[in-house]
Amino acid sequence: AQSVTQPDIHITVSEGASLELRCNYSYGATPYLFWYVQSPGQGLQLLLKYFSGDTLVQGIKGFEAEFKRSQSSFNLRKPSVHWSDAAEYFCAGIHMNRDDKIIFGKGTRLHILP
Amino acid sequence: EAQVTQNPRYLITVTGKKLTVTCSQNMNHEYMSWYRQDPGLGLRQIYYSMNVEVTDKGDVPEGYKVSRKEKRNFPLILESPSPNQTSLYFCASSSRIRGMNTEAFFGQGTRLTVV
């Protein structure tokens, strides 16, 4: 079955440090992949998406992600985090069948130390 | 402004009292869906709709109903709410390109408490 896995439930980094959130997928063909961010009390906001082409995609708020087919990964990165980046991050992929359902990972909660 | 609007944002109700959560999108999207979000379980799809008058069950449809009479609206109906339906609910919509869904746009969420 197609799935999206985020291995880390919680991640803590210091403000100004670099960040990498992991995401692995299992799809037969090239998937459509996304990263969303959910701030407390808010809905989900799209950070970036990968459909095809360049495997390094740039998103909003200084985030980027790299699609690596050989590792079935789509990790999210940011060179220097800010306290306002504290939130929950969801990796997601399109389920390649008739209904095109988006499959979400369980999320990674990011904590920022001052 | 392109958006998905849910109402209400917060709702406390009693067991068995029918309620409706409305969802409207202004982007002319074909695909709409409802999710519930619970701690440790992530987002689970309740129902989805590929277009007007076309709805189908998601992963956790029990206890819910939906309708899609107009393209922009996709209400979620709880005929007889129970405490296990206490959750955070999200409506989302997507456009379709070359027969595939694109990214989902989410509403702000409805926090429902059933006592």
Side-chain angles (χ1 to χ4, degrees):
Chain A
Q2 295 168 344
S3 65
V4 173
T5 304
Q6 294 178 247
D8 304 305
I9 299 174
H10 294 272
I11 290 277
T12 301
V13 298
S14 298
E15 190 168 18
S18 64
L19 170 71
E20 182 168 27
L21 301 182
R22 296 184 292 164
C23 173
N24 294 100
Y25 66 89
S26 67
Y27 286 89
T30 299
Y32 291 176
L33 295 166
F34 314 93
W35 275 99
Y36 286 87
V37 61
Q38 184 181 26
S39 298
Q42 300 297 313
L44 278 76
Q45 181 183 22
L46 182 70
L47 281 176
L48 47 80
K49 61 187 177 185
Y50 172 76
F51 282 173
S52 65
D54 194 345
T55 57
L56 184 63
V57 293
Q58 302 297 321
I60 62 171
K61 305 186 181 192
F63 286 93
E64 66 178 26
E66 187 170 12
F67 173 68
K68 292 185 177 179
R69 184 189 302 278
S70 61
Q71 298 176 21
S72 298
S73 68
F74 187 58
N75 294 349
L76 181 71
R77 301 194 294 246
K78 188 170 184 177
S80 176
V81 298
H82 186 262
W83 64 266
S84 60
D85 292 324
E88 188 151 25
Y89 292 79
F90 292 92
C91 183
I94 291 283
H95 190 266
M96 297 291 195
N97 71 5
R98 178 178 63 86
D99 58 10
D100 296 333
K101 184 171 68 174
I102 293 182
I103 304 257
F104 286 89
K106 294 282 176 69
T108 297
R109 184 165 293 280
L110 175 63
H111 305 272
I112 306 294
L113 295 174
Chain B
E1 180 189 354
Q3 59 186 1
V4 178
T5 303
Q6 293 178 230
N7 280 298
R9 290 289 309 277
Y10 301 91
L11 179 59
I12 301 175
T13 189
V14 296
T15 299
K17 185 176 181 183
K18 180 179 178 180
L19 67 91
T20 299
V21 183
T22 63
C23 173
S24 180
Q25 51 94 4
N26 63 0
M27 296 168 279
N28 202 37
H29 285 167
E30 296 90 346
Y31 188 94
M32 296 186 74
S33 57
W34 277 102
Y35 295 85
R36 60 178 290 173
Q37 184 179 26
D38 302 288
L41 298 177
L43 285 142
R44 294 180 292 169
Q45 192 182 53
I46 302 169
Y47 267 94
Y48 65 94
S49 169
M50 300 280 276
N51 215 323
V52 175
E53 301 292 2
V54 181
T55 63
D56 211 343
K57 296 177 181 179
D59 299 316
V60 288
E62 293 78 20
Y64 304 94
K65 285 175 56 177
V66 293
S67 68
R68 187 93 182 271
K69 294 184 170 58
E70 305 163 283
K71 197 171 188 179
R72 64 175 17 237
N73 296 325
F74 191 45
L76 179 70
I77 303 155
L78 284 72
E79 294 270 2
S80 182
S82 62
N84 65 9
Q85 293 179 297
T86 293
S87 187
L88 180 58
Y89 291 87
F90 288 102
C91 179
S93 71
S94 305
S95 62
R96 292 177 67 80
I97 298 177
R98 295 191 295 272
M100 289 288 299
N101 281 345
T102 61
E103 68 270 25
F105 291 81
F106 283 83
Q108 289 290 87
T110 296
R111 184 164 293 281
L112 171 66
T113 303
V114 183
V115 299

